[in-house]
Amino acid sequence: MALPLPPGLTHAEVAFLAEMELVTVVPRQRLDSIDLLGGKTPVLRPPHRADLPLWLALLLKKQRRANILPPAWLHPASLSDIIHAETKLNPEAFSEPPPRPSRADPSRPGIARRQHGSGGGDDGDDDDDDGVYSGGVTLSAPFRPSCTADAPAGYLPYHWLEVAEQLLAHAGDDVAAALGGGGGGSGGTATSLSSSSSVLGEVRGLLRDLVEVRAAKLRSSTAALGSFGGGVMSLRGVGAMELAESRGFVLGVVDGVRKLGASVETARREAEEEGMDEGGDGESDEEMGF
Amino acid sequence: MDIDDILREVDPTFHSVPLEKRDLQELTRAWVAERSAPELLPWPSNGFFERINDNIKRQIERVEDMTGDMDPKTNFALIVIQTELERYRYLVRSYLRARLAKIDRHALHYLSTDELRARMSDVELAYATRHQALLHNHYLSSFLSSFPPNLQNLNDSAGINMVEAPDLDSAVFVRLLRDTLVTAKGVEDDNAVKGMEISVALIDVESHDTHDP
């Protein structure tokens, strides 16, 4: 009964999470709102776009009830911009995650405010979650609309690789139709078959480049792990699948380094505790095996 | 629905995240956290899981009602509902099984203090207690009974502690929901980094604490 998997999400589980990402569809059939456990689906009326979770969008796509609009960041121009930024502009860091969308602030008309901003919120009024901002809940990765048609170009969302793979695999024609027109709009449907497949090939090639560039960075960041004394390393901008890929390796290295330095660490902590002359909080249960 | 709910709905700053979606997000986060953390995390005690179970039960009943009529239009809705139901149940199942795996591995540890017991739900606590008793009885009847009485315990803490505890110092990945300070205990130095929201940080210790900036 108990789960036999080691701690840390596996690839399949990350892919499962990615299927909760919202994507934009253009329905081809009417479909009434369905009362699901995760909330009601929007009513689908043919020419109107709607945002649905990826798994549902793919289901509709398979039944030819809807077309999927790929997110703007999947456009070849956006992808090559990101690759340029990753290789030339800032070859050390990963590209920035998408910014929070801005909204009009009703208390100060005319001033835009970052949604769920952490600066101006008067926190601490309800629930127990630490992700709570005034009046509601902070949405995080699979629930933020970072893969819809409105998502900004030039930023990779948390589940970028998984969503891109799924879209290319199951909705390749839609991706080609939307991106093939050059400008991106809906006018690209008339492109010939050969050009649409070339667009797909281009997107696939760019994605592969991006995967390789970023994988190389993640690998080289393990060089920093060797001298991983500080305890914290920022991996801002890394995607979920990339984390899953390197989790075992990175955690193994960190734990190995930690065990090697265990005696140093305990000595330092003891010295600190003596210096501060106050009871450490449960530090005595450190048993490092050797 | 009371006056606060109504007010919140007309308030444009509240980007009305419906309860169902919040529940799904909370469940997803609980699952991800439970799958990634080395130790058992506290059981959500605010009736959250009871609510989720009720919702699932109600949805199953709806599916049973709907399977009766063969109208092709509702038929598709049924497919969608069942797909979603399965996804939802997978989350719940995987969450519970991940917890069960941790309880199985370190049963005596989680039963050792009241504080640790409080992390388990009533059912989990009953399971852990009974399972541990069965196991101990089995050991006793197969080989432990031939040992001297003072060596028959499984939780001997004199000398090397027999109760195995999860490695609370192992490294974890932490995803930040907003700008906050991340502190960690490293080998050479304790460190605090001001993390940006939605960045992912690698932390060398499980028991980190976060502060508002």
Side-chain angles (χ1 to χ4, degrees):
Chain A
M1 250 327 262
L3 201 67
L5 300 168
L9 296 181
T10 62
H11 293 71
E13 288 170 325
V14 173
F16 177 84
L17 276 182
E19 284 178 2
M20 294 181 189
E21 284 275 359
L22 289 175
V23 293
T24 306
V25 298
V26 181
R28 296 162 68 165
Q29 274 182 19
R30 248 193 90 87
L31 188 68
D32 285 332
S33 171
I34 305 174
D35 205 356
L36 294 179
L37 284 168
K40 281 187 164 73
T41 61
V43 180
L44 300 184
R45 262 168 297 151
H48 295 282
R49 297 175 174 191
D51 291 346
L52 295 177
L54 181 61
W55 62 268
L56 182 53
L58 290 176
L59 189 68
L60 291 171
K61 168 72 189 161
K62 251 173 227 163
Q63 302 222 348
R64 289 196 207 94
R65 288 170 196 264
N67 291 94
I68 300 178
L69 278 179
W73 52 262
L74 198 58
H75 196 277
S78 158
L79 287 179
S80 39
D81 273 357
I82 298 173
I83 292 181
H84 178 72
E86 295 247 357
T87 51
K88 301 275 161 30
L89 296 183
N90 201 347
E92 297 299 312
F94 295 92
S95 58
E96 291 276 297
R100 302 239 152 186
S102 301
R103 269 178 188 269
D105 187 346
S107 56
R108 288 174 299 167
I111 295 176
R113 186 183 58 179
R114 278 280 159 84
Q115 205 180 336
H116 307 166
S118 50
D122 43 4
D123 267 12
D125 49 348
D126 47 4
D127 301 326
D128 48 330
D129 199 334
D130 60 342
V132 169
Y133 79 108
S134 56
V137 181
T138 304
L139 295 179
S140 66
F143 302 100
R144 298 176 57 198
S146 55
C147 291
T148 57
D150 299 333
Y155 297 99
L156 292 178
Y158 189 54
H159 288 291
W160 63 277
L161 182 55
E162 307 89 294
V163 173
E165 282 292 328
Q166 289 273 15
L167 288 183
L168 287 177
H170 301 290
D173 50 340
D174 290 347
V175 176
L179 304 183
S186 55
T189 41
T191 45
S192 67
L193 204 69
S194 64
S195 84
S196 80
S197 66
S198 79
V199 170
L200 279 190
E202 194 186 350
V203 172
R204 282 213 177 88
L206 287 168
L207 278 175
R208 204 171 308 134
D209 289 351
L210 205 49
V211 169
E212 275 168 21
V213 167
R214 291 165 65 96
K217 279 186 192 176
L218 208 54
R219 269 199 302 273
S220 66
S221 76
T222 48
L225 286 178
S227 55
F228 188 62
V232 192
M233 187 167 88
S234 177
L235 294 170
R236 184 168 161 80
V238 181
M241 199 53 108
E242 294 159 301
L243 278 187
E245 202 120 287
S246 51
R247 173 176 275 121
F249 175 63
V250 170
L251 294 191
V253 170
V254 172
D255 279 353
V257 169
R258 199 193 77 220
K259 278 182 182 150
L260 290 177
S263 56
V264 181
E265 187 177 353
T266 17
R268 180 176 65 82
R269 277 196 206 295
E270 272 164 16
E272 261 174 26
E273 256 166 55
E274 277 167 22
M276 278 152 58
D277 198 34
E278 56 174 50
D281 40 356
E283 217 66 314
S284 55
D285 56 352
E286 279 183 36
E287 281 190 25
M288 293 301 186
F290 50 84
Chain B
M1 193 186 217
D2 60 9
I3 187 76
D4 283 345
D5 294 329
I6 299 168
L7 279 178
R8 211 178 296 149
E9 259 175 30
V10 288
D11 181 6
T13 52
F14 181 75
H15 313 296
S16 60
V17 184
L19 180 69
E20 291 89 354
K21 192 170 174 182
R22 266 183 286 165
D23 276 354
L24 178 60
Q25 171 160 290
E26 201 178 319
L27 176 65
T28 313
R29 275 189 197 158
W31 173 64
V32 172
E34 198 67 62
R35 285 285 289 117
S36 314
E39 61 171 337
L40 190 73
L41 300 175
W43 174 259
S45 53
N46 48 3
F48 170 67
F49 241 84
E50 289 74 9
R51 186 164 74 231
I52 292 229
N53 272 334
D54 285 349
N55 288 348
I56 290 179
K57 225 173 276 169
R58 217 172 313 129
Q59 196 78 333
I60 291 175
E61 276 163 20
R62 254 186 76 203
V63 169
E64 282 165 357
D65 287 346
M66 282 174 76
T67 30
D69 65 295
M70 289 314 259
D71 182 21
K73 216 169 195 174
T74 56
N75 215 6
F76 180 68
L78 187 65
I79 294 175
V80 174
I81 289 178
Q82 277 178 320
T83 313
E84 208 248 357
L85 186 62
E86 280 312 311
R87 293 179 60 88
Y88 214 84
R89 282 170 56 177
Y90 167 76
L91 270 182
V92 173
R93 219 163 32 219
S94 183
Y95 174 69
L96 294 176
R97 290 181 64 195
R99 291 180 65 86
L100 217 49
K102 292 180 186 177
I103 294 174
D104 266 355
R105 180 169 299 162
H106 302 295
L108 276 174
H109 170 70
Y110 291 120
L111 287 172
S112 58
T113 65
D114 282 344
E115 194 196 336
L116 287 169
R117 280 164 175 264
R119 291 191 183 184
M120 290 186 272
S121 70
D122 294 343
V123 188
E124 284 169 340
L125 189 60
Y127 164 78
T129 320
R130 284 224 303 274
H131 183 247
Q132 194 53 43
L134 277 175
L135 205 63
H136 202 165
N137 278 336
H138 170 64
Y139 290 158
L140 277 171
S141 62
S142 49
F143 60 91
L144 269 184
S145 54
S146 46
F147 286 12
N150 59 335
L151 293 181
Q152 288 182 356
N153 293 338
L154 289 180
N155 58 353
D156 206 345
S157 55
I160 295 172
N161 198 344
M162 276 180 82
V163 181
E164 230 185 299
D167 187 0
L168 294 185
D169 290 341
S170 59
V172 288
F173 288 101
V174 179
R175 191 149 53 101
L176 305 178
L177 298 172
R178 60 177 175 200
D179 297 356
T180 183
L181 200 66
V182 180
T183 58
K185 294 188 269 184
V187 173
E188 283 149 31
D189 201 7
D190 287 1
N191 211 342
V193 168
K194 186 177 179 302
M196 296 286 286
E197 60 186 341
I198 43 178
S199 66
V200 179
L202 179 66
I203 290 198
D204 197 6
V205 79
E206 155 61 27
S207 55
H208 66 283
D209 28 31
T210 49
H211 313 280
D212 273 344

